[in-house]
Each structure stands twice: as C-alpha cells, then as structure tokens.
Amino acid sequence: MRRLEWPLHIVRRVVIGVVVVAVLAVAVPLGVRWIGDVRARCDDGVVKRGEDKECVGVTDGSFHFADHLATVVKKIKEENDLVSKEAKKEPYVSVAYMTSFTLTNDDSNSEDSVRHELEGAYLAQYRHNRGDLASSPKIRLLIANTGSSSAHWNHTVDELIARKDSDDKLVAVTGLGPSTGPNLAALRKLSESGLATVASTMTATNIQGIPGFVRVSPTNVDEAYAAAAYLKRSTKLRTAVVVQDAATTNLYAATLGTAFTEAFPDKKTGHRLVAERMTFDSSVPGGAWKNELRYFPAQLCDTRPQVIYFAGRGRHLTNFLDSLANRSCTDHTFTVLAGDDTSNLDREQIAHAVENDVTVLFTGLAHRDMWRADPGRVSERSARYFQENGLLDTWFPGDDRYDGQDLMAHDAVLTAAEGVRMAAGGPGAVTGGAVGRMFQQMNGPQQVAGASGFISFRNNGNPRNKAVPILRLNARGRAELVEVSSAQGKPPEGQ
C-alpha cells in the first residue's frame, strides 16, 4: 500500500493552523476577561462598583469623579506632577483626601461642600509645597472616593493601604467624611494599617482614642456645650426640646442629642427641657421618617418650647422646618438650633429653610468671618487666604464658598503636612506611624495655626477647646456669624 506523502508547504500550513487554534483556545477566554476588566475600569486605581457603577478608588488627579470637581482636580494633578518631576531634588510623601465624591440623595454632603473641601485641601498642599509654609518633604495629594454613603469604603481603603509601600509613599489620610458607621470602619482599618488619619468634619464624640487619629473639628459635645453657653446668655431662650434622628448608623445625631440634653439644663439660670426627646428614624425604608416629622408640630404647640434643638442631618432639617411651617400655633415663635451638618445645605435649601418664619441657628465648624470678629482666636496668616478676593477666589472665581468646608479641609491637610514636616526632623524615613506620633506634639508654640482656629490635640485625638462659630441662616442662602464660642466659652488664642 502506497503511503500518502504531503508536500512540505502543506504540512507547514497545517502545523501553523493547529498552533493558531490552540493559542486562540487559550487567548479567547483571557481576552474576554480582559475586556471585562477594561469595562470595569475608570482609570488607574479607579474602578466601577455597585449597581450604579460608581467610579471609586484613588487617583492622583488623572481622573475627576464628577464634572463639578474638574477645575480643582486639574490643579491638584498639576501640583502632583510638579512634585514627581522634582523628586530627584526634593523628596516627597503622599497625603490622601478621602470622602464620598459621587453623591446621591442618601448623602448628607452636597456637591458644593465636597468641592469646597477639595479646594481647601489643595490650598494646604500648595502652601506646604511652594507657598508661605514651604517645607520638605513635599506632598503629593491623592483623592480617594468611597462612593455614595461610603458604600465602597473597603475597596478604597485597600487601595490606599497598597499605596503605603508604592511610589506614592502614602503616610496620612485626611477628610474621612461625616460621622457614620462605614466611615468609622474605614478609619479603624486605616489606623490598623499604620497610616496617620486626620478628620476634617467628623464630629461624633465617641470616635476617639484610635491610634494615629486626630480631628480638627470640635466634637458634638463641644458643639452642644457651645450652643448651650450661647443660649444661657439669653433670658428669652430658657426652655427647649430635643428633636433627634434615632437611626443607629447616625452617630452624629446620637451624640449631639445626648450632649445637649446634658449641657442645657441649669437650675441657676432657669434653663430647662420641657419635654422628653422627640425622635424619628431616617433609616426606615421608603422615607417614612418624613411622615413622623409631620406629627411633631402638634406636640410642639402643646409644650411651646422657645428653642428646638435639632439633632439630625441638614437634609432632615429642611423637611422638619417644612412640617413646622404648617403648625397651628402660628402666634408662637420658635428658634431652631441645629448642629454643623447644616453647613452641607446648598444655597437654595438655606434660603428655603428661613421662609418658614422660624429663626434658624446652628453651631458651625468654621466661618471666614471668625478672624475679623475675634482675631486673636484664628490665625490671620491662614484666614487671609479665605477672605473675599483672596487666593482661593483667584483660583476658583465664581465659587461662593459659603459653608466653611474649605477651611476645615485646609486645616486637616495642614495638620497632616505639619506632622510630615515634624517627622522629617527625626531619624529615619517619614512613615504614617511617625506622622501620627507628631500630632501629640502639636501643643503650645507647635499648635496648628488653622483658618478655623488654633488647634492642639488631646491624647484621645480631640482638639482642645476648639473654636465653635454660632451661625444664623438668612434669606440670601448664607450663614451669618453671630459669635465665636467654644465648649469653655472662649477658644484658645494663638501663641
């Protein structure tokens, strides 16, 4: 039987064909997975997560999480690139600013507030790198988004921790968002990893004693005592009722309501609570808490307190004020006094809040008029940047920073930068642990010269007798400064 012999060129084609098929058999599934990863990727360090496909993670400014952030993120990127370019001459480390940058109606933050935070954070980076506080090592500022309600905090925190030992040399995380359960969990995980942490607007008093953690904002207890001190100077505002959000995840409301309940009553002055705490639960599905608020005006008309202390988020406050506008006792004048989350309301919400024939006051975290009203309690050197026609107005024209969030973020990053500068004076490399230890040395002459007040820290991370502005909402959608107070009556002066 004659054996069939194939020409050599045909044999080569068959072999090549078999190899190609084999390669494709392996490559096609890999290719599908690769394409899937690309679809989930927003940018380096930023990926899509959740049903809404939010872009969450960490960026050096190459990616802006929302269009309204584009201008300030571009400036941060330019500064970061300059620091990287000069790395051979000047050493650097990184500091991150973390909060929820992709917002929904479930967030207490507004788009304005988080944009203003980034603007203030950038100013602190600029001052440390090449401004009036120029120091070494330089700082690259990373932007970390945890997603709406910090739903994806775990992913973002893991991404941050990975930056410790990378070229980023991350040593501190600032911002940290409002006082919520997810943000507390994120804070603890960051601390356990050895990173220093500085909260800008996290005020819940029970968030304390965490290694390497400090906050530049007054605690809720400080706010409540400052509010009570203000009220006790009045003979017309002697009776009060507390209205509080009872949601278990709202650490801010729980500590604020409890603190005011303890701080306000005073037998000597006749200040007293005239009813038990009135509560609603914002965590109930379907927005049922709005229905709860509708029953409050009738109860308030029965007890007729002169002051209603509202321990809830700003977005809950506007609904409460709408309910109060429909009260039957229109002959009675109420003064509503709320906490610092009121600063997260936008201009339209603020203007609407005062349409209801109710005086609305709140304890803020910062206000740019504090320096002019009480110059000894606020650093002039820092405060000048936030005045009308100051450097921030030059950089971000047309952005009315009415909420004080820029000052708080600036002071948080400034604190981290001071920690970096102080740690660099010792032996060894600058690490998160070294920066965290420096926070406890920021006392007396070493206190932080903040735009929101002079800041020094207790061992538990809370600021000592931090300045608390008492603010009033007006029909122009702004908060007017009434006075500068503190838990002890007057905040510390600079040295």
Side-chain angles (χ1 to χ4, degrees):
M1 182 174 181
R2 185 181 177 185
R3 188 174 61 182
L4 181 64
E5 294 184 359
W6 295 87
L8 184 58
H9 69 282
I10 294 178
V11 173
R12 287 174 176 170
R13 290 176 183 174
V14 171
V15 171
I16 291 171
V18 170
V19 172
V20 169
V21 170
V23 170
L24 288 174
V26 176
V28 167
L30 291 176
V32 170
R33 287 197 293 272
W34 180 75
I35 292 171
D37 286 343
V38 168
R39 288 176 179 171
R41 178 180 178 275
C42 304
D43 199 78
D44 289 344
V46 183
V47 296
K48 294 178 182 177
R49 285 287 186 272
E51 294 181 2
D52 295 333
K53 304 297 181 184
E54 288 182 273
C55 289
V56 298
V58 183
T59 179
D60 65 352
S62 301
F63 180 82
H64 58 266
F65 294 99
D67 289 344
H68 70 98
L69 301 174
T71 300
V72 62
V73 169
K74 181 181 178 182
K75 285 189 173 294
I76 292 171
K77 171 63 173 171
E78 290 171 350
E79 182 64 24
N80 287 341
D81 288 347
L82 190 57
V83 170
S84 297
K85 183 179 179 181
E86 298 174 348
K88 292 183 178 180
K89 299 178 182 178
E90 288 272 11
Y92 70 85
V93 295
S94 290
V95 171
Y97 198 89
M98 184 182 83
T99 191
S100 298
F101 287 109
T102 46
L103 305 170
T104 68
N105 291 333
D106 294 329
D107 292 280
S108 61
N109 308 53
S110 67
E111 288 189 351
D112 283 356
S113 70
V114 297
R115 184 177 64 256
H116 297 160
E117 286 182 62
L118 266 191
E119 290 171 358
Y122 168 67
L123 172 61
Q125 179 195 25
Y126 175 86
R127 290 183 70 192
H128 175 86
N129 284 351
R130 60 196 72 261
D132 62 314
L133 300 176
S135 187
S136 183
K138 303 302 183 188
I139 286 176
R140 297 179 79 252
L141 184 63
L142 306 180
I143 306 166
N145 180 29
T146 54
S148 176
S149 300
S150 293
H152 307 293
W153 69 266
N154 216 340
H155 169 82
T156 300
V157 166
D158 285 344
E159 183 70 25
L160 285 168
I161 293 172
R163 306 276 178 134
K164 283 177 53 183
D165 301 318
S166 71
D167 290 341
D168 288 310
K169 305 173 194 173
L170 182 68
V171 296
V173 180
T174 61
L176 305 176
S179 304
T180 66
N183 288 337
L184 175 56
L187 166 59
R188 284 176 171 156
K189 190 170 183 178
L190 290 166
S191 172
E192 289 168 2
S193 77
L195 287 165
T197 50
V198 187
S200 56
T201 62
M202 188 178 279
T203 58
T205 310
N206 56 351
I207 302 176
Q208 60 183 12
I210 298 172
F213 166 72
V214 293
R215 69 174 113 219
V216 297
S217 61
T219 66
N220 283 344
V221 167
D222 287 347
E223 287 190 49
Y225 273 83
Y230 167 76
L231 294 172
K232 288 177 183 179
R233 287 192 284 275
S234 170
T235 57
K236 297 180 180 179
L237 300 172
R238 287 183 172 174
T239 60
V241 165
V242 175
V243 172
Q244 180 184 317
D245 182 6
T248 57
T249 57
N250 194 344
L251 306 178
Y252 163 84
T255 53
L256 198 63
T258 299
F260 184 81
T261 300
E262 295 171 351
F264 181 73
D266 191 324
K267 291 182 179 180
K268 293 181 180 179
T269 61
H271 288 79
R272 59 194 175 91
L273 299 171
V274 294
E276 292 184 356
R277 223 177 291 190
M278 300 167 61
T279 63
F280 64 97
D281 189 345
S282 66
S283 66
V284 175
W289 58 272
K290 296 179 182 179
N291 294 330
E292 293 186 73
L293 293 179
R294 292 173 186 164
Y295 296 103
F296 287 2
Q299 300 174 55
L300 291 166
C301 282
D302 282 343
T303 54
R304 296 198 171 214
Q306 292 158 331
V307 177
I308 302 168
Y309 190 78
F310 188 84
R313 296 289 179 189
R315 63 191 181 89
H316 305 139
L317 173 63
T318 55
N319 284 274
F320 172 69
L321 292 173
D322 285 341
S323 297
L324 195 61
N326 295 318
R327 65 189 183 276
S328 59
C329 54
T330 54
D331 61 318
H332 182 75
T333 301
F334 289 105
T335 294
V336 176
L337 204 164
D340 65 271
D341 195 74
T342 305
S343 63
N344 282 315
L345 298 179
D346 60 32
R347 292 284 297 271
E348 185 177 342
Q349 290 171 320
I350 290 175
H352 176 66
V354 298
E355 290 176 352
N356 301 311
D357 194 28
V358 174
T359 299
V360 183
L361 305 173
F362 70 100
T363 47
L365 299 181
H367 193 281
R368 67 184 185 186
D369 289 344
M370 291 168 64
W371 165 58
R372 295 188 182 281
D374 205 340
R377 316 291 174 174
V378 177
S379 167
E380 176 182 357
R381 190 175 185 181
S382 291
R384 283 191 178 278
Y385 287 99
F386 298 88
Q387 303 306 305
E388 189 173 353
N389 298 320
L391 189 56
L392 280 179
D393 278 355
T394 301
W395 284 340
F396 311 109
D399 193 357
D400 184 3
R401 291 170 298 281
Y402 55 88
D403 50 21
Q405 302 296 83
D406 50 343
L407 288 86
M408 297 309 300
H410 166 274
D411 287 0
V413 176
L414 185 66
T415 298
E418 283 293 286
V420 167
R421 180 187 63 80
M422 293 168 69
V430 176
T431 64
V435 172
R437 288 191 295 274
M438 289 301 106
F439 295 151
Q440 300 306 318
Q441 308 306 318
M442 295 178 181
N443 299 300
Q446 297 299 326
Q447 65 185 340
V448 180
S452 66
F454 290 96
I455 311 167
S456 62
F457 302 103
R458 301 180 185 277
N459 289 337
N460 62 5
N462 292 334
R464 287 187 175 84
N465 197 33
K466 179 69 193 298
V468 179
I470 307 296
L471 306 171
R472 179 190 295 112
L473 301 185
N474 67 28
R476 295 183 293 114
R478 298 183 67 91
E480 299 173 338
L481 181 67
V482 177
E483 68 174 47
V484 180
S485 185
S486 79
Q488 298 176 18
K490 279 293 183 183
E493 292 190 350
Q495 298 187 16

